[in-house]
Amino acid sequence: MSEHVYLHVDMDAFYASVEQRDHPNYLGMPVIVGARPGNRGVVSACSYEARVFGIHSAMPISQAYRLCPAGVFLPVRMARYHEVSAQIMNLLGEFTPGLTQMSVDEAFLDLSGTRRLLGDPADVAQEIKRRVRGVTGLTISVGVAPSRFLAKLGSEKNKPDGLCIVQPGEEASFVATLPLRSLWGIGKKMLASLETHGIRSVTQLREYERSELTAFFGKAAAHYLYNVCRGIDPGLYGSGKSHSISGERTFAADVNDPQIVYGALLEIASSCVFRLREERGQSRTATFKLRLSDFSTTTASRTLDHDVVTAEELYETARALFEERWDKRSSIRLVGCGLAKVVKGKGSVQHQLFSQNDEKRRQVEEAVYRLSKQGLTVQRARLLREADGSEE
DNA sequence: TCTGGGGTCCTAGGACCC
DNA sequence: TCTGGGGTCCTAGGACCC
């Protein structure tokens, strides 16, 4: 027999806490990490002192500034947060090999069957909290439960510096204490949709048959809702089969000049294809995204008959999709492009299929990309022409 | 209010195949 | 003449999460 025990570790106000730790003079102050006030953008994270003013993540930065003009507004230092994150993940990995990192500030630990080795999971959780605070100076919140889903809900429950333990047998009664909105997977729209059917709580949701929920919300959502309100893990974590790589840019001000769009698409395409190569992935599907000044958004994709090998190829495809969709009048707020259905590459087999021209271009692109990463402005167009070995 | 950037998963229609 | 059922792939859009 096996006892299932999972821990979910969630770092508290992570970006803001790292900034306060790196700059102790910000301790106790409302710290808001995100876009620069006056610019387009949102709050990425904020300290608990900032939340007192009504500020929360994803809020437009202009609104946050209005709520708290005296706040400490800081830019996102992603590289730094990844550094601290890696430090914490290493520490967590010392407790169990069953570590799954979910994002920069979250991880699951599978402690199933480790009781004899590690002791009571509640004590392990306390020890982890103590160690993380000792090594990094940061607080975390931890949920302990018989399933991942409940462990995650548990880590949310007593934030910050929280600990919540859901014992086997308490699954259903635990979820009954939670508001629907706090369930992972129920957002604004689903909440409103549930409300139109008179469903306002977990216990009310429990009164519906699976067939009724399917009629209301469709098969997948019904399966999720039916299980979740009974404390049963709906089991939705990445299958890991394929994924996507993409980038996008919101312009500081809306643009009408297609040349600016082309420049952005070329840069984004370069970084996407570079990442694809770094992880030795393969993809045949190019994606494109366009957002106009009225915030209306369209996406498009095109599946090629061969793998994308060069940034040029992704760029040309994205550019073609842009030209098919833009009416040449509307102002453009954002463009993006990327690769979908990226799968693990088969390495050398694929490599032999590259044409010599592709291979040469690929190498030039990589050199250009590395240089531009170092802040050196390179005559990209000329280098790429040289790669063509043609004209001018 | 004036709305980032990176993702995942689901739906639904049409093409195409057996 | 009016017509199956299932499966997979492609595409666009949308909800949701951190």
Side-chain angles (χ1 to χ4, degrees), chain A residues 6-18:
Chain A
Y6 298 90
L7 247 80
H8 183 255
V9 170
D10 201 318
M11 303 170 204
D12 299 323
F14 186 51
Y15 302 174
S17 302
V18 171

Side-chain angles (χ1 to χ4, degrees), chain A residues 261-283:
Chain A
V261 170
Y262 301 153
L265 286 177
L266 181 57
E267 271 182 40
I268 295 166
S270 299
S271 83
C272 289
V273 171
F274 185 78
R275 284 170 58 197
L276 179 74
R277 266 175 225 151
E278 264 189 330
E279 64 174 74
R280 300 178 169 283
Q282 281 175 256
S283 167

Side-chain angles (χ1 to χ4, degrees), chain A residues 192-316:
Chain A
S193 186
L194 286 163
E195 193 135 19
T196 64
H197 292 99
I199 302 169
R200 291 187 180 77
S201 72
V202 168
T203 39
Q204 282 173 349
L205 185 54
R206 225 177 266 170
E207 292 163 16
Y208 288 80
E209 299 293 336
R210 195 185 277 272
S211 57
E212 294 174 288
L213 295 177
T214 305
F216 293 161
F217 306 110
K219 203 173 166 186
H223 172 82
Y224 165 81
L225 291 170
Y226 185 86
N227 284 306
V228 156
C229 67
R230 289 167 176 76
I232 300 166
D233 195 323
L236 17 90
Y237 318 93
S239 57
K241 252 182 95 78
S242 76
H243 68 121
S244 58
I245 297 173
S246 68
E248 59 190 53
R249 174 160 327 146
T250 296
F251 299 110
D254 298 344
V255 303
N256 284 87
D257 180 355
Q259 294 302 326
I260 296 176
V261 170
Y262 301 153
L265 286 177
L266 181 57
E267 271 182 40
I268 295 166
S270 299
S271 83
C272 289
V273 171
F274 185 78
R275 284 170 58 197
L276 179 74
R277 266 175 225 151
E278 264 189 330
E279 64 174 74
R280 300 178 169 283
Q282 281 175 256
S283 167
R284 296 161 48 219
T285 306
T287 63
F288 167 74
K289 180 171 174 177
L290 177 68
R291 176 169 288 155
L292 303 177
S293 52
D294 65 359
F295 218 72
S296 62
T297 307
T298 54
T299 58
S301 67
R302 180 161 294 164
T303 299
L304 310 179
D305 59 8
H306 59 277
D307 288 335
V308 172
V309 175
T310 63
E312 183 80 358
E313 217 169 1
L314 174 55
Y315 165 69
E316 291 295 350

Side-chain angles (χ1 to χ4, degrees), chain A residues 99-273:
Chain A
L99 172 73
T100 312
Q101 183 169 354
M102 299 306 286
S103 69
V104 71
D105 68 344
E106 261 184 71
F108 284 113
L109 277 76
D110 185 350
L111 293 188
S112 303
T114 65
R115 185 179 288 272
R116 283 176 69 186
L117 191 67
L118 299 177
D120 189 331
D123 295 334
V124 177
Q126 291 284 12
E127 174 66 6
I128 287 175
K129 282 165 63 74
R130 209 180 55 74
R131 291 278 306 280
V132 171
R133 189 196 274 271
V135 171
T136 68
L138 301 174
T139 65
I140 59 175
S141 292
V142 180
V144 183
S147 71
R148 281 180 235 261
F149 187 79
L150 293 179
K152 176 152 171 73
L153 294 181
S155 70
E156 280 302 310
K157 180 119 178 166
N158 301 320
K159 265 181 163 298
D161 202 13
L163 175 61
C164 173
I165 294 154
V166 182
Q167 300 289 355
E170 288 180 351
E171 293 91 340
S173 54
F174 171 69
V175 288
T177 67
L178 302 174
L180 283 173
R181 184 64 179 87
S182 73
L183 300 183
W184 193 89
I186 294 186
K188 217 173 157 188
K189 300 281 177 165
M190 180 54 94
L191 196 70
S193 186
L194 286 163
E195 193 135 19
T196 64
H197 292 99
I199 302 169
R200 291 187 180 77
S201 72
V202 168
T203 39
Q204 282 173 349
L205 185 54
R206 225 177 266 170
E207 292 163 16
Y208 288 80
E209 299 293 336
R210 195 185 277 272
S211 57
E212 294 174 288
L213 295 177
T214 305
F216 293 161
F217 306 110
K219 203 173 166 186
H223 172 82
Y224 165 81
L225 291 170
Y226 185 86
N227 284 306
V228 156
C229 67
R230 289 167 176 76
I232 300 166
D233 195 323
L236 17 90
Y237 318 93
S239 57
K241 252 182 95 78
S242 76
H243 68 121
S244 58
I245 297 173
S246 68
E248 59 190 53
R249 174 160 327 146
T250 296
F251 299 110
D254 298 344
V255 303
N256 284 87
D257 180 355
Q259 294 302 326
I260 296 176
V261 170
Y262 301 153
L265 286 177
L266 181 57
E267 271 182 40
I268 295 166
S270 299
S271 83
C272 289
V273 171

Side-chain angles (χ1 to χ4, degrees), chain A residues 334-369:
Chain A
L334 167 153
V335 289
C337 67
L339 298 154
K341 295 182 213 164
V342 178
V343 293
K344 272 273 156 263
K346 295 178 203 69
S348 57
V349 178
Q350 175 60 31
H351 221 77
Q352 291 164 5
L353 300 175
F354 292 176
S355 75
Q356 281 210 326
N357 269 342
D358 277 350
E359 180 55 25
K360 189 175 171 195
R361 173 178 289 279
R362 198 187 66 76
Q363 287 174 10
V364 174
E365 281 180 3
E366 191 151 327
V368 171
Y369 183 79

